[in-house]
């Protein structure tokens, strides 16, 4: 484990959390706007998204518009992610009976069926930090890295979602780190040289 990863995490989580009020609302709106301009997102049948946690950008207005396409991550006991359909997202944010907080306090859908990452067309990932090469720094558990190992082409488009204050010159990379195809921020869409995503149908 990189010590410098942990140092960066502390710094960038703080930056993400300190973005508040009107500035946060405006930047989130811009992120959602740019996100819907990506062809793979527009044409996707299954989109893995997330419920915002620890100051992550809030995609709920977008997720509600395309609710039938949205899948939410669940953490398996082996620390891989699978994906479940949403319960009604309005209700989910208020914690209905069929959603449950996992061991990290994140709400999870309890609905069936359960699908693997390979069955998604697009995977929207929150992140703590990123660089322009598409390297992603997560919260430090490696959930996405573990779940994206061995994906074969055509594979889902891997899209990081971030505020521009989360960008750093260079994220330390370990051998297991899976890079992103795109990063969507309030400033626009960064297409990285890792882009090998499924072509829109
Ligand atoms: P994050 O991606 O959340 O920033 P790291 O990349 O530092 O976190 O990974 C955290 C831990 O997850 C690593 O110490 C590593 O042991 C584990 N990990 C990540 N990917 C895999 C994998 N493919 N197989 C097994 N363990 C993994
Ligand atoms: Mg990683």
């Amino acid at each position: 484990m990189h010590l410098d990863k942990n140092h960066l995490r502390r710094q960038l989580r703080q930056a993400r959390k300190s973005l508040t009020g009107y500035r946060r609302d405006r930047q989130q709106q811009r992120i959602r706007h740019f996100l819907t301009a990506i062809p793979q997102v527009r044409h996707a049948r299954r989109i893995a998204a997330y419920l915002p946690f620890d100051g992550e950008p809030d995609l709920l207005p977008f997720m509600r518009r395309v609710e039938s396409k949205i899948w939410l991550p669940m953490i398996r006991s082996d620390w891989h992610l699978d994906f479940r359909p949403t319960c009604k997202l309005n209700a989910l944010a208020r914690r209905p009976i069929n959603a449950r907080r996992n061991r990290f306090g994140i709400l999870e859908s309890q609905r069936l069926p359960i699908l693997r990452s390979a069955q998604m067309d697009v995977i929207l990932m929150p992140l703590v930090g990123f660089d322009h090469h598409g390297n992603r720094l997560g919260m430090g558990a490696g959930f996405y890295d573990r779940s994206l190992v061995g994906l074969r082409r055509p594979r889902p488009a891997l899209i990081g979602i971030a505020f521009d204050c989360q960008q750093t010159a260079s994220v330390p990379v370990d051998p297991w780190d899976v890079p992103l195809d795109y990063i969507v921020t309030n400033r626009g869409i960064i297409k990285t040289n890792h882009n090998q995503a499924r072509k829109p149908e």
Side-chain angles (χ1 to χ4, degrees):
M1 174 81 65
H2 277 284
L3 271 184
D4 39 346
K5 267 191 171 177
N6 280 335
H7 177 77
L8 255 184
R9 274 189 193 104
R10 266 197 300 278
Q11 197 183 319
L12 293 170
R13 274 180 76 172
Q14 190 52 48
R16 185 172 71 177
K17 268 192 175 161
S18 340
L19 182 62
T20 54
Y22 174 73
R23 282 189 66 202
R24 167 173 286 266
D25 291 346
R26 222 185 120 74
Q27 294 196 13
Q28 290 180 153
Q29 262 174 30
R30 291 177 66 84
I31 290 170
R32 296 189 296 260
H33 167 78
F34 289 126
L35 178 62
T36 49
I38 298 180
Q40 283 97 328
V41 174
R42 301 176 78 97
H43 297 283
R45 283 163 307 144
R46 294 190 191 124
I47 301 174
Y50 62 88
L51 292 170
F53 182 74
D54 194 57
E56 294 162 353
D58 185 350
L59 300 181
L60 275 166
F62 159 77
M63 290 159 66
R64 288 193 189 105
R65 279 203 303 279
V66 294
E67 183 152 3
S68 60
K69 300 178 176 185
I70 297 293
W71 293 68
L72 290 171
M74 53 168 289
I75 300 167
R76 286 185 345 213
S77 53
D78 60 359
W79 283 41
H80 286 245
L81 297 178
D82 281 334
F83 297 90
R84 284 177 157 158
T86 63
C87 328
K88 278 265 163 229
L89 278 172
N90 280 318
L92 191 52
R94 293 196 305 269
R95 192 178 177 182
I97 279 153
N98 52 355
R100 206 168 49 99
R101 288 195 192 276
N102 64 22
R103 74 192 90 165
F104 301 96
I106 302 170
L107 273 175
E108 283 185 355
S109 164
Q110 299 296 298
R111 277 181 59 187
L112 296 173
I114 295 173
L115 298 186
R116 298 283 168 97
S117 56
Q119 294 168 282
M120 301 292 122
D121 300 310
V122 165
I123 300 182
L124 306 178
M125 280 175 254
L127 53 81
V128 173
F130 70 94
D131 64 26
H132 74 282
H133 295 298
N135 296 314
R136 172 181 181 275
L137 183 71
M139 295 277 265
F143 290 132
Y144 284 99
D145 292 328
R146 216 174 278 111
S147 314
L148 301 174
V149 174
L151 281 180
R152 303 224 173 89
R153 284 187 245 178
R155 62 162 178 75
L158 307 181
I159 305 180
I161 305 291
F163 298 110
D164 66 337
C165 64
Q166 294 172 257
Q167 182 160 9
T168 184
S170 167
V171 169
V173 180
D174 287 304
W176 57 78
D177 281 317
V178 178
L180 301 163
D181 300 313
Y182 297 92
I183 301 121
V184 178
T185 77
N186 45 295
R187 289 191 185 267
I189 300 164
I190 299 166
K191 191 171 176 176
T192 75
N193 52 7
H194 294 291
N195 197 290
Q196 309 170 333
R198 189 175 280 165
K199 291 257 184 317
E201 283 149 28

